[in-house]
């Protein structure tokens, strides 16, 4: 497949942008090859510099549940832009999007907007620490909450020892306050609360994990986290940056009927423009400056264009039939791919909730980071490139989730299934 223009664009980018990308996962490091540069998106499709067209299952890593350049989103952004792009003052658009968020997300009755998911999760942890007066947090190995220092931590030698930095630049002091535990192990959480009684401010979790590939909580796990945090006067933070408005109108907490104390949001809430958010009970949120002492701020937080895109997107999602159709379309895709993988005897384990899904190329079950790391990433890389060559853009990493939009058609789904069948046959035909 000719990718000359993307290859020369990458060379140009590398001369002026660190690593040639503004976010590492875009560089194709885990699947190999040179990253494809896109020039346009329309509906469920992407178009690259070499004029290849792709069915897009990344959707900008989740935000574009309505697809690329949805008319109502573009109209809203254009109308807002004509009135100016930023005022640095309160605007009613912020209240309108906040009202939609409070109406859709069961646990939120006050919200604060940021410009990214990372800002939302960093702020949520600071809020939890300030509200409880405690320093330590619990996070889970393999869960990703953005690039805040408190999250770039690897598990210490033993499950209950202090975390250690897993990126240069994160200090041992910061790492010491983060306890890393295995996902889906409620006993480990109970033990941590016993070991660090009175010291843990919060547990932060991706309630459906999307950053190890997709991994689901085992029955009762989320309720255990809710019970253990309540019992120990710690806060439960659901990081729904990826799952919010994706797996249900109100995210995982809406599907599972479990209410966290703080929820972080991103991606869909901005409709493809930079918006993050964190929210919860008014009693917690009123601790934030200017009403309370916990500082949090942002020049472009609540930006009018971003608010307009978010409002248009969440308004469109008021139509409940959208979630039924997304469920039906992703079921068609999952069923078709399952048939293909079984036909070729591919070891695989697939997970799906609503229009968020993932296939691990290994035997299941995949319940945590340790089991996820058994996936055959070499095969995934081959599959990724074979699909790319057949006009299907999957996440350039085994450890990401895939997404569908309301713009995907049955033709797109059926093309994808046929392409997967052909791609795997081609891989096996090449095996020496
Ligand atoms: P951002 O700062 O990238 O907007 O959000 C960070 C974040 C927080 N929490 C969850 C659950 C997330 O999935 C993310 C970001 N997700 C990645 C995709 N795995 C963004 C892609 C990227 O890093 O470029």
């Amino acid at each position: 497949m000719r990718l000359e223009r993307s290859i020369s664009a990458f060379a140009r980018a590398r001369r002026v942008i660190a690593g040639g990308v503004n976010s590492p996962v875009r560089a194709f490091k885990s699947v190999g090859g040179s990253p494809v540069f896109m020039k346009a998106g329309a509906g469920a499709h992407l178009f690259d510099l070499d004029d290849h067209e792709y069915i897009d299952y990344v959707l900008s890593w989740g935000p574009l549940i309505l697809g690329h350049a949805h008319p109502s989103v573009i109209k809203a952004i254009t109308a807002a832009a004509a009135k100016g792009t930023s005022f640095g003052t309160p605007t009613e658009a912020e209240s309108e999007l906040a009202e939609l968020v409070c109406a859709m997300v069961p646990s939120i009755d006050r919200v604060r907007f940021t410009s990214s998911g990372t800002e939302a999760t960093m702020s949520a942890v600071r809020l939890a620490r300030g509200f409880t007066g405690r320093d330590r947090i619990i996070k889970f190995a393999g869960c990703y909450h953005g690039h805040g220092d408190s999250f770039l931590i690897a598990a210490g030698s033993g499950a209950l020892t202090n975390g250690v930095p897993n990126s240069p630049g994160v200090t041992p002091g910061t790492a010491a306050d983060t306890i890393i535990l295995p996902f889906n192990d409620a006993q480990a959480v109970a033990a941590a609360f016993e070991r660090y009684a009175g010291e843990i401010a919060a547990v932060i979790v991706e309630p459906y994990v999307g950053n190890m590939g997709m991994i689901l909580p085992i029955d009762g796990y989320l309720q255990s986290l809710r019970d253990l945090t309540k019992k120990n006067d710690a806060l439960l933070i659901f990081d729904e940056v990826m799952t919010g408005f994706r797996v249900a109108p109100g995210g995982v907490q809406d599907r599972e009927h479990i209410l966290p104390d703080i929820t972080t949001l991103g991606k869909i809430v901005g409709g493809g423009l930079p918006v993050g958010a964190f929210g919860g009970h008014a009693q917690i949120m009123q601790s934030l400056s200017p009403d309370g002492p916990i500082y949090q701020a942002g020049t472009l937080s609540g930006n009018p264009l971003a608010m307009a895109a978010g409002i248009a997107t969440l308004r469109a999602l008021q139509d409940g039939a959208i979630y039924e159709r997304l469920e039906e379309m992703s079921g068609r895709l999952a069923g078709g791919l399952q048939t293909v993988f079984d036909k070729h005897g591919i070891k695989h384990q697939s997970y799906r909730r609503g229009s968020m899904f993932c296939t691990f190329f290994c035997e299941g079950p995949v319940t945590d980071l340790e089991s996820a790391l058994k996936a055959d990433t070499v095969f995934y890389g081959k599959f990724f490139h074979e699909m790319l060559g057949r006009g299907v853009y999957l996440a350039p990493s085994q450890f990401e989730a895939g997404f569908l939009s309301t713009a995907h058609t049955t033709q797109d789904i059926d093309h994808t299934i046929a392409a997967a069948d052909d791609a795997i046959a081609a891989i096996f035909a090449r095996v020496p």
Side-chain angles (χ1 to χ4, degrees), residues 23-26 60-61 115-119 121 144-147 206 210-211 239-243 264 266-267 275 399-401:
S23 201
V25 71
R26 303 177 193 170
S60 184
W61 304 97
S115 297
S116 71
T118 294
E119 273 189 273
T121 55
Y144 177 70
H145 305 292
H147 61 88
E206 290 185 69
N211 287 288
D239 179 355
E240 297 223 46
V241 165
M242 189 182 284
T243 55
T264 57
K267 298 180 190 281
V275 179
F399 303 114
E400 294 289 349

Side-chain angles (χ1 to χ4, degrees), residues 218-282:
I218 57 177
D219 286 352
Y221 178 67
L222 295 179
Q223 190 57 55
S224 300
L225 296 182
R226 179 62 287 178
D227 297 344
L228 284 165
T229 44
K230 255 202 180 70
K231 180 182 160 198
N232 290 280
D233 298 319
L235 299 186
L236 178 58
I237 302 172
F238 271 10
D239 179 355
E240 297 223 46
V241 165
M242 189 182 284
T243 55
F245 317 106
R246 167 62 64 182
V247 298
V252 174
Q253 59 194 270
D254 184 3
R255 268 185 95 112
E256 302 279 350
H257 310 296
I258 294 178
L259 299 185
D261 299 297
I262 300 174
T263 300
T264 57
L265 300 165
K267 298 180 190 281
I268 290 172
V269 75
L273 267 64
V275 179
F278 62 108
H281 194 283

Side-chain angles (χ1 to χ4, degrees), residues 74-198:
I74 299 303
K75 185 170 172 233
I77 296 169
T78 306
K83 296 180 206 157
T85 56
S86 183
F87 312 124
T89 68
T91 65
E92 288 218 279
E94 294 157 81
S95 304
E96 191 170 347
L97 186 55
E99 286 160 356
L100 283 162
V101 169
C102 292
M104 292 175 79
V105 184
S107 67
I108 295 183
D109 54 33
R110 286 290 183 291
V111 69
R112 170 68 61 88
F113 291 116
T114 63
S115 297
S116 71
T118 294
E119 273 189 273
T121 55
M122 284 167 61
S123 305
V125 163
R126 183 181 312 131
L127 174 59
R129 285 173 164 153
F131 184 77
T132 61
R134 299 175 176 182
D135 295 343
R136 294 180 192 275
I137 60 167
I138 291 174
K139 80 170 282 287
F140 300 97
C143 284
Y144 177 70
H145 305 292
H147 61 88
D149 281 5
S150 297
F151 309 125
L152 299 182
I153 309 291
S157 51
L160 290 188
T161 53
N162 296 336
V164 293
N166 77 351
S167 164
V170 175
T171 66
T174 303
D177 288 333
T178 301
I179 301 160
I180 304 276
L181 300 176
F183 184 71
N184 267 329
D185 180 348
Q187 275 312 309
V189 179
F193 272 113
E194 212 157 298
R195 169 80 173 68
Y196 297 106

